[in-house]
Amino acid sequence: MVRYNESLDKYESGRNEKREQSLLERFPPEEHLILAKPSIIIDSGGRIIVWYLPGAMTGMLMVCHLWAFMLYCISSGITTSKPTEWRTHMSNFYPSLDGKITPGCINISPAWFQQGREVYGFSPDVSATLKGVNGHNITASLQRSGILVSAALRVMHPDLYLAGIKTQVRLGEWASRHQLHDMCYHLQRWTSVFNVVSVICNRRSPPHRDPKCQPEAFDIMTTAGIYHPVIMDFINLGIKFLYNSGSMLASSCRLVRHHMHVEEGNRIVTAWYMRDSIHNFVGTPRTEYAKYGNAKYSDPVEKSACV
């Protein structure tokens, strides 16, 4: 995957079919799989590319937490009609048949750079969704799932977990020095080592990448709701995952071109991720790839050399 990453442009979106076909021809999958059981995907160098954990979310978290949170938070879903903004474009959302949730997508962060301000001279700010009294309730409602994804990352990628903790602590110290009381409030109550979460209701996801994700990092996605079984397709890996309610997937969404298509039901997705610009702002170094402990012995040439 290192060579694959080196072949990607800086802002590779995964939306150019001709470009993606060229990449597939250069780096074809060895086989095509459909997975329904807990799995770890590693590359030839022992780097962990994907964690797949069906059933990781308990019923209590899915129903009592996420469902209640979304009923409150996306009461007036956020969408757009701009054709270039597929993530929030109205055509990519489908209605709730029972009217219990409103389709939409919001980004939530106690400290991030607003769009277009990830350059020198700007400072982090609390996301618009957390400003005001309602923001306090949103942060509180995210605490359980924030703990869950942080505990998962501690196992999946220990170095990234520690980098996330360092970043949150340093952000808190910076916000305190500059008397940014709103940011301090949310950072003190933010239980996740990830600094951003996107919460998405009833959206179709066309094939894409997330170019701001670092190749060595993991994003963690969870899904909850009542809907017919769907497939999450990691196209360039040749692997499809059964993505039932309660599933958790972790990967670098820059390296993996993925998509999922669903047309009915009520589905809530949370995507937790870290912004490298925030880590850089407080001086947290980038991590290396996570590696599977015994993967190095899977190479028969290396194994014979060690005998």
Side-chain angles (χ1 to χ4, degrees):
M1 293 304 291
V2 172
R3 291 189 179 93
Y4 185 86
N5 177 59
E6 290 172 349
S7 300
L8 298 177
D9 296 334
K10 184 176 181 179
Y11 297 109
E12 198 85 59
S13 69
R15 302 286 289 133
N16 186 324
E17 291 295 338
K18 185 176 180 180
R19 163 69 172 158
E20 292 299 329
Q21 183 59 38
S22 174
L23 286 168
L24 273 177
E25 290 171 359
R26 289 184 60 190
F27 302 97
E30 291 187 2
E31 56 183 321
H32 292 270
L33 302 172
I34 298 177
L35 299 179
K37 295 181 179 180
S39 308
I40 301 173
I41 312 301
I42 63 174
D43 73 357
S44 58
R47 300 171 190 85
I48 300 175
I49 307 303
V50 181
W51 281 78
Y52 170 53
L53 300 173
M57 299 276 291
T58 66
M60 179 181 67
L61 279 170
M62 289 190 291
V63 178
C64 298
H65 168 56
L66 283 175
W67 197 257
F69 167 66
M70 289 309 305
L71 283 171
Y72 170 79
C73 191
I74 306 188
S75 59
S76 59
I78 298 176
T79 59
T80 182
S81 58
K82 294 180 180 179
T84 56
E85 301 291 340
W86 72 263
R87 285 177 172 82
T88 52
H89 195 272
M90 293 181 292
S91 65
N92 286 325
F93 293 87
Y94 61 93
S96 167
L97 296 179
D98 55 16
K100 288 186 175 180
I101 62 174
T102 301
C105 173
I106 58 173
N107 299 314
I108 304 165
S109 175
W112 75 338
F113 288 103
Q114 295 182 20
Q115 188 172 6
R117 295 190 175 184
E118 293 180 301
V119 294
Y120 180 77
F122 290 97
S123 298
D125 193 8
V126 177
S127 67
T129 46
L130 291 185
K131 293 182 178 179
V133 177
N134 286 344
H136 296 181
N137 297 329
I138 293 172
T139 295
S141 68
L142 282 168
Q143 288 176 335
R144 279 183 176 173
S145 59
I147 291 171
L148 176 67
V149 295
S150 297
L153 188 67
R154 176 65 180 86
V155 176
M156 297 171 175
H157 200 325
D159 290 344
L160 186 62
Y161 170 84
L162 292 175
I165 290 178
K166 289 178 182 177
T167 298
Q168 301 295 66
V169 170
R170 291 171 179 176
L171 275 172
E173 293 171 345
W174 176 81
S176 180
R177 285 196 307 270
H178 290 82
Q179 299 184 354
L180 302 175
H181 303 299
D182 199 24
M183 186 178 294
C184 287
Y185 176 92
H186 289 291
L187 285 169
Q188 288 170 357
R189 292 160 178 81
W190 188 262
T191 59
S192 175
V193 296
F194 294 91
N195 47 51
V196 189
V197 59
S198 294
V199 186
I200 306 156
C201 282
N202 288 8
R203 188 181 74 184
R204 309 177 189 93
S205 294
H208 69 282
R209 304 176 188 275
D210 298 313
K212 290 187 178 181
C213 179
Q214 295 304 307
E216 306 88 354
F218 285 154
D219 299 340
I220 292 184
M221 297 178 288
T222 68
T223 180
I226 302 172
Y227 55 91
H228 293 298
V230 297
I231 295 292
M232 173 68 82
D233 189 355
F234 282 12
I235 304 167
N236 58 313
L237 299 185
I239 302 175
K240 297 179 179 180
F241 302 90
L242 187 62
Y243 203 45
N244 285 342
S245 182
S247 297
M248 177 183 291
L249 269 168
S251 68
S252 168
C253 291
R254 169 178 168 81
L255 292 179
V256 177
R257 187 180 187 231
H258 53 288
H259 84 103
M260 179 178 60
H261 192 79
V262 60
E263 288 290 349
E264 60 182 25
N266 290 327
R267 186 174 61 89
I268 303 164
V269 171
T270 60
W272 296 85
Y273 50 97
M274 299 183 186
R275 280 287 177 252
D276 187 60
S277 56
I278 290 293
H279 284 226
N280 183 55
F281 179 79
V282 297
T284 304
R286 287 183 184 172
T287 63
E288 299 295 329
Y289 289 90
K291 286 203 169 186
Y292 193 74
N294 296 321
K296 63 182 180 180
Y297 299 114
S298 63
D299 187 332
V301 175
E302 184 175 348
K303 184 175 181 180
S304 63
C306 294
V307 173

mmCIF file of all heavy atoms in Angstrom, residues 272-301:
data_model
loop_
_atom_site.group_PDB
_atom_site.id
_atom_site.type_symbol
_atom_site.label_atom_id
_atom_site.label_comp_id
_atom_site.label_asym_id
_atom_site.label_seq_id
_atom_site.Cartn_x
_atom_site.Cartn_y
_atom_site.Cartn_z
ATOM 1 N N TRP A 272 -15.660 8.997 12.447
ATOM 2 C CA TRP A 272 -14.719 9.673 13.340
ATOM 3 C C TRP A 272 -13.359 9.762 12.653
ATOM 4 O O TRP A 272 -12.862 8.764 12.122
ATOM 5 C CB TRP A 272 -14.579 8.884 14.639
ATOM 6 C CG TRP A 272 -15.820 8.782 15.458
ATOM 7 C CD1 TRP A 272 -16.830 7.862 15.317
ATOM 8 C CD2 TRP A 272 -16.197 9.621 16.552
ATOM 9 N NE1 TRP A 272 -17.805 8.085 16.250
ATOM 10 C CE2 TRP A 272 -17.444 9.149 17.041
ATOM 11 C CE3 TRP A 272 -15.595 10.717 17.185
ATOM 12 C CZ2 TRP A 272 -18.098 9.738 18.111
ATOM 13 C CZ3 TRP A 272 -16.251 11.302 18.258
ATOM 14 C CH2 TRP A 272 -17.479 10.823 18.717
ATOM 15 N N TYR A 273 -12.745 10.936 12.687
ATOM 16 C CA TYR A 273 -11.459 11.082 12.014
ATOM 17 C C TYR A 273 -10.639 12.198 12.660
ATOM 18 O O TYR A 273 -11.136 12.984 13.478
ATOM 19 C CB TYR A 273 -11.647 11.345 10.519
ATOM 20 C CG TYR A 273 -12.622 12.448 10.167
ATOM 21 C CD1 TYR A 273 -12.187 13.740 9.886
ATOM 22 C CD2 TYR A 273 -13.998 12.185 10.080
ATOM 23 C CE1 TYR A 273 -13.085 14.749 9.542
ATOM 24 C CE2 TYR A 273 -14.893 13.185 9.741
ATOM 25 C CZ TYR A 273 -14.433 14.460 9.473
ATOM 26 O OH TYR A 273 -15.325 15.455 9.141
ATOM 27 N N MET A 274 -9.355 12.216 12.302
ATOM 28 C CA MET A 274 -8.427 13.237 12.799
ATOM 29 C C MET A 274 -7.980 14.112 11.642
ATOM 30 O O MET A 274 -7.747 13.622 10.538
ATOM 31 C CB MET A 274 -7.203 12.582 13.447
ATOM 32 C CG MET A 274 -7.518 11.704 14.635
ATOM 33 S SD MET A 274 -6.012 11.035 15.393
ATOM 34 C CE MET A 274 -6.734 9.924 16.619
ATOM 35 N N ARG A 275 -7.836 15.395 11.913
ATOM 36 C CA ARG A 275 -7.328 16.327 10.920
ATOM 37 C C ARG A 275 -5.839 16.568 11.193
ATOM 38 O O ARG A 275 -5.462 17.037 12.266
ATOM 39 C CB ARG A 275 -8.106 17.640 10.972
ATOM 40 C CG ARG A 275 -9.438 17.566 10.245
ATOM 41 C CD ARG A 275 -9.215 17.538 8.746
ATOM 42 N NE ARG A 275 -10.465 17.404 7.983
ATOM 43 C CZ ARG A 275 -10.830 16.310 7.348
ATOM 44 N NH1 ARG A 275 -10.079 15.236 7.403
ATOM 45 N NH2 ARG A 275 -11.946 16.276 6.660
ATOM 46 N N ASP A 276 -5.019 16.235 10.197
ATOM 47 C CA ASP A 276 -3.578 16.400 10.361
ATOM 48 C C ASP A 276 -3.212 17.856 10.599
ATOM 49 O O ASP A 276 -2.219 18.155 11.281
ATOM 50 C CB ASP A 276 -2.854 15.864 9.125
ATOM 51 C CG ASP A 276 -1.345 15.839 9.290
ATOM 52 O OD1 ASP A 276 -0.872 15.142 10.209
ATOM 53 O OD2 ASP A 276 -0.660 16.535 8.522
ATOM 54 N N SER A 277 -3.998 18.780 10.063
ATOM 55 C CA SER A 277 -3.719 20.200 10.260
ATOM 56 C C SER A 277 -3.810 20.580 11.736
ATOM 57 O O SER A 277 -3.064 21.441 12.212
ATOM 58 C CB SER A 277 -4.694 21.050 9.445
ATOM 59 O OG SER A 277 -6.041 20.724 9.765
ATOM 60 N N ILE A 278 -4.711 19.934 12.485
ATOM 61 C CA ILE A 278 -4.829 20.200 13.920
ATOM 62 C C ILE A 278 -3.644 19.604 14.664
ATOM 63 O O ILE A 278 -3.068 20.230 15.565
ATOM 64 C CB ILE A 278 -6.162 19.644 14.461
ATOM 65 C CG1 ILE A 278 -7.331 20.468 13.922
ATOM 66 C CG2 ILE A 278 -6.177 19.641 15.982
ATOM 67 C CD1 ILE A 278 -7.372 21.903 14.431
ATOM 68 N N HIS A 279 -3.245 18.393 14.303
ATOM 69 C CA HIS A 279 -2.066 17.786 14.926
ATOM 70 C C HIS A 279 -0.830 18.641 14.664
ATOM 71 O O HIS A 279 0.005 18.847 15.555
ATOM 72 C CB HIS A 279 -1.862 16.372 14.383
ATOM 73 C CG HIS A 279 -2.814 15.365 14.950
ATOM 74 N ND1 HIS A 279 -2.420 14.121 15.401
ATOM 75 C CD2 HIS A 279 -4.159 15.421 15.157
ATOM 76 C CE1 HIS A 279 -3.473 13.460 15.860
ATOM 77 N NE2 HIS A 279 -4.538 14.230 15.700
ATOM 78 N N ASN A 280 -0.713 19.129 13.430
ATOM 79 C CA ASN A 280 0.425 19.973 13.074
ATOM 80 C C ASN A 280 0.397 21.291 13.846
ATOM 81 O O ASN A 280 1.454 21.805 14.264
ATOM 82 C CB ASN A 280 0.410 20.249 11.570
ATOM 83 C CG ASN A 280 1.592 21.059 11.119
ATOM 84 O OD1 ASN A 280 2.735 20.697 11.351
ATOM 85 N ND2 ASN A 280 1.331 22.196 10.479
ATOM 86 N N PHE A 281 -0.777 21.834 14.079
ATOM 87 C CA PHE A 281 -0.923 23.114 14.781
ATOM 88 C C PHE A 281 -0.336 23.045 16.188
ATOM 89 O O PHE A 281 0.273 24.010 16.660
ATOM 90 C CB PHE A 281 -2.400 23.503 14.843
ATOM 91 C CG PHE A 281 -2.672 24.783 15.572
ATOM 92 C CD1 PHE A 281 -2.452 26.012 14.954
ATOM 93 C CD2 PHE A 281 -3.147 24.773 16.874
ATOM 94 C CE1 PHE A 281 -2.694 27.205 15.627
ATOM 95 C CE2 PHE A 281 -3.395 25.962 17.551
ATOM 96 C CZ PHE A 281 -3.170 27.180 16.922
ATOM 97 N N VAL A 282 -0.506 21.904 16.855
ATOM 98 C CA VAL A 282 0.005 21.779 18.230
ATOM 99 C C VAL A 282 1.318 20.995 18.292
ATOM 100 O O VAL A 282 1.831 20.712 19.379
ATOM 101 C CB VAL A 282 -1.042 21.123 19.153
ATOM 102 C CG1 VAL A 282 -2.277 21.989 19.259
ATOM 103 C CG2 VAL A 282 -1.406 19.718 18.674
ATOM 104 N N GLY A 283 1.873 20.632 17.129
ATOM 105 C CA GLY A 283 3.191 20.002 17.093
ATOM 106 C C GLY A 283 3.207 18.513 17.378
ATOM 107 O O GLY A 283 4.223 17.984 17.840
ATOM 108 N N THR A 284 2.098 17.819 17.082
ATOM 109 C CA THR A 284 2.070 16.367 17.260
ATOM 110 C C THR A 284 2.589 15.694 15.994
ATOM 111 O O THR A 284 2.029 15.892 14.921
ATOM 112 C CB THR A 284 0.636 15.871 17.533
ATOM 113 O OG1 THR A 284 0.107 16.561 18.666
ATOM 114 C CG2 THR A 284 0.638 14.371 17.812
ATOM 115 N N PRO A 285 3.666 14.888 16.088
ATOM 116 C CA PRO A 285 4.214 14.235 14.888
ATOM 117 C C PRO A 285 3.244 13.214 14.305
ATOM 118 O O PRO A 285 2.396 12.662 15.004
ATOM 119 C CB PRO A 285 5.475 13.524 15.409
ATOM 120 C CG PRO A 285 5.788 14.164 16.723
ATOM 121 C CD PRO A 285 4.465 14.596 17.285
ATOM 122 N N ARG A 286 3.375 12.971 13.008
ATOM 123 C CA ARG A 286 2.591 11.918 12.379
ATOM 124 C C ARG A 286 3.079 10.556 12.844
ATOM 125 O O ARG A 286 4.250 10.367 13.158
ATOM 126 C CB ARG A 286 2.709 11.994 10.856
ATOM 127 C CG ARG A 286 1.969 13.147 10.231
ATOM 128 C CD ARG A 286 2.089 13.101 8.721
ATOM 129 N NE ARG A 286 1.459 14.257 8.106
ATOM 130 C CZ ARG A 286 1.550 14.536 6.806
ATOM 131 N NH1 ARG A 286 2.221 13.726 6.003
ATOM 132 N NH2 ARG A 286 0.966 15.617 6.310
ATOM 133 N N THR A 287 2.169 9.596 12.852
ATOM 134 C CA THR A 287 2.519 8.237 13.241
ATOM 135 C C THR A 287 2.918 7.417 12.015
ATOM 136 O O THR A 287 2.708 7.831 10.877
ATOM 137 C CB THR A 287 1.328 7.550 13.930
ATOM 138 O OG1 THR A 287 0.242 7.450 12.992
ATOM 139 C CG2 THR A 287 0.880 8.357 15.149
ATOM 140 N N GLU A 288 3.456 6.242 12.272
ATOM 141 C CA GLU A 288 3.714 5.275 11.213
ATOM 142 C C GLU A 288 2.459 4.415 11.017
ATOM 143 O O GLU A 288 1.481 4.540 11.745
ATOM 144 C CB GLU A 288 4.916 4.394 11.584
ATOM 145 C CG GLU A 288 6.214 5.164 11.777
ATOM 146 C CD GLU A 288 6.691 5.820 10.493
ATOM 147 O OE1 GLU A 288 6.425 5.253 9.407
ATOM 148 O OE2 GLU A 288 7.323 6.885 10.569
ATOM 149 N N TYR A 289 2.514 3.523 10.028
ATOM 150 C CA TYR A 289 1.428 2.575 9.835
ATOM 151 C C TYR A 289 1.348 1.632 11.032
ATOM 152 O O TYR A 289 2.373 1.277 11.623
ATOM 153 C CB TYR A 289 1.659 1.735 8.580
ATOM 154 C CG TYR A 289 1.494 2.478 7.270
ATOM 155 C CD1 TYR A 289 2.575 3.122 6.678
ATOM 156 C CD2 TYR A 289 0.271 2.504 6.607
ATOM 157 C CE1 TYR A 289 2.433 3.796 5.463
ATOM 158 C CE2 TYR A 289 0.122 3.165 5.392
ATOM 159 C CZ TYR A 289 1.208 3.808 4.838
ATOM 160 O OH TYR A 289 1.064 4.471 3.644
ATOM 161 N N ALA A 290 0.133 1.219 11.376
ATOM 162 C CA ALA A 290 -0.031 0.149 12.359
ATOM 163 C C ALA A 290 0.364 -1.165 11.690
ATOM 164 O O ALA A 290 0.064 -1.394 10.523
ATOM 165 C CB ALA A 290 -1.475 0.084 12.838
ATOM 166 N N LYS A 291 1.037 -2.039 12.449
ATOM 167 C CA LYS A 291 1.469 -3.318 11.881
ATOM 168 C C LYS A 291 0.933 -4.481 12.707
ATOM 169 O O LYS A 291 0.811 -4.394 13.921
ATOM 170 C CB LYS A 291 2.994 -3.386 11.800
ATOM 171 C CG LYS A 291 3.583 -2.523 10.699
ATOM 172 C CD LYS A 291 4.951 -3.009 10.289
ATOM 173 C CE LYS A 291 5.436 -2.329 9.025
ATOM 174 N NZ LYS A 291 6.713 -2.894 8.545
ATOM 175 N N TYR A 292 0.634 -5.552 12.006
ATOM 176 C CA TYR A 292 0.149 -6.766 12.655
ATOM 177 C C TYR A 292 1.340 -7.534 13.200
ATOM 178 O O TYR A 292 2.299 -7.795 12.481
ATOM 179 C CB TYR A 292 -0.631 -7.614 11.660
ATOM 180 C CG TYR A 292 -1.426 -8.725 12.289
ATOM 181 C CD1 TYR A 292 -2.587 -8.440 12.990
ATOM 182 C CD2 TYR A 292 -1.011 -10.047 12.192
ATOM 183 C CE1 TYR A 292 -3.342 -9.451 13.573
ATOM 184 C CE2 TYR A 292 -1.757 -11.063 12.764
ATOM 185 C CZ TYR A 292 -2.911 -10.760 13.455
ATOM 186 O OH TYR A 292 -3.647 -11.762 14.035
ATOM 187 N N GLY A 293 1.294 -7.916 14.472
ATOM 188 C CA GLY A 293 2.448 -8.449 15.179
ATOM 189 C C GLY A 293 3.202 -9.563 14.481
ATOM 190 O O GLY A 293 4.429 -9.515 14.358
ATOM 191 N N ASN A 294 2.504 -10.590 13.994
ATOM 192 C CA ASN A 294 3.191 -11.745 13.428
ATOM 193 C C ASN A 294 3.185 -11.763 11.906
ATOM 194 O O ASN A 294 3.579 -12.753 11.307
ATOM 195 C CB ASN A 294 2.544 -13.039 13.936
ATOM 196 C CG ASN A 294 2.702 -13.175 15.437
ATOM 197 O OD1 ASN A 294 3.743 -12.834 15.981
ATOM 198 N ND2 ASN A 294 1.670 -13.679 16.103
ATOM 199 N N ALA A 295 2.781 -10.667 11.299
ATOM 200 C CA ALA A 295 2.630 -10.663 9.840
ATOM 201 C C ALA A 295 3.954 -10.886 9.129
ATOM 202 O O ALA A 295 4.005 -11.456 8.059
ATOM 203 C CB ALA A 295 2.020 -9.342 9.380
ATOM 204 N N LYS A 296 5.070 -10.465 9.742
ATOM 205 C CA LYS A 296 6.364 -10.568 9.065
ATOM 206 C C LYS A 296 6.770 -12.016 8.809
ATOM 207 O O LYS A 296 7.583 -12.296 7.944
ATOM 208 C CB LYS A 296 7.440 -9.862 9.879
ATOM 209 C CG LYS A 296 7.682 -10.462 11.261
ATOM 210 C CD LYS A 296 8.746 -9.663 12.006
ATOM 211 C CE LYS A 296 9.011 -10.242 13.384
ATOM 212 N NZ LYS A 296 10.050 -9.449 14.096
ATOM 213 N N TYR A 297 6.181 -12.964 9.551
ATOM 214 C CA TYR A 297 6.540 -14.359 9.355
ATOM 215 C C TYR A 297 5.706 -15.043 8.289
ATOM 216 O O TYR A 297 5.859 -16.226 8.045
ATOM 217 C CB TYR A 297 6.404 -15.109 10.690
ATOM 218 C CG TYR A 297 7.318 -14.565 11.754
ATOM 219 C CD1 TYR A 297 6.800 -13.934 12.876
ATOM 220 C CD2 TYR A 297 8.696 -14.643 11.615
ATOM 221 C CE1 TYR A 297 7.636 -13.405 13.851
ATOM 222 C CE2 TYR A 297 9.531 -14.117 12.580
ATOM 223 C CZ TYR A 297 9.006 -13.502 13.702
ATOM 224 O OH TYR A 297 9.841 -12.975 14.653
ATOM 225 N N SER A 298 4.795 -14.299 7.652
ATOM 226 C CA SER A 298 3.954 -14.895 6.626
ATOM 227 C C SER A 298 4.669 -15.009 5.285
ATOM 228 O O SER A 298 4.214 -15.698 4.399
ATOM 229 C CB SER A 298 2.669 -14.078 6.449
ATOM 230 O OG SER A 298 2.977 -12.775 5.992
ATOM 231 N N ASP A 299 5.805 -14.319 5.141
ATOM 232 C CA ASP A 299 6.572 -14.375 3.906
ATOM 233 C C ASP A 299 7.433 -15.631 3.925
ATOM 234 O O ASP A 299 8.331 -15.764 4.759
ATOM 235 C CB ASP A 299 7.451 -13.117 3.785
ATOM 236 C CG ASP A 299 8.144 -13.029 2.435
ATOM 237 O OD1 ASP A 299 8.408 -14.088 1.831
ATOM 238 O OD2 ASP A 299 8.428 -11.894 2.000
ATOM 239 N N PRO A 300 7.197 -16.602 3.026
ATOM 240 C CA PRO A 300 7.953 -17.857 3.070
ATOM 241 C C PRO A 300 9.447 -17.660 2.876
ATOM 242 O O PRO A 300 10.252 -18.411 3.409
ATOM 243 C CB PRO A 300 7.332 -18.689 1.933
ATOM 244 C CG PRO A 300 6.671 -17.684 1.042
ATOM 245 C CD PRO A 300 6.222 -16.573 1.933
ATOM 246 N N VAL A 301 9.862 -16.665 2.090
ATOM 247 C CA VAL A 301 11.286 -16.414 1.883
ATOM 248 C C VAL A 301 11.932 -15.949 3.184
ATOM 249 O O VAL A 301 12.978 -16.447 3.607
ATOM 250 C CB VAL A 301 11.496 -15.368 0.763
ATOM 251 C CG1 VAL A 301 12.982 -15.028 0.631
ATOM 252 C CG2 VAL A 301 10.939 -15.886 -0.544
#
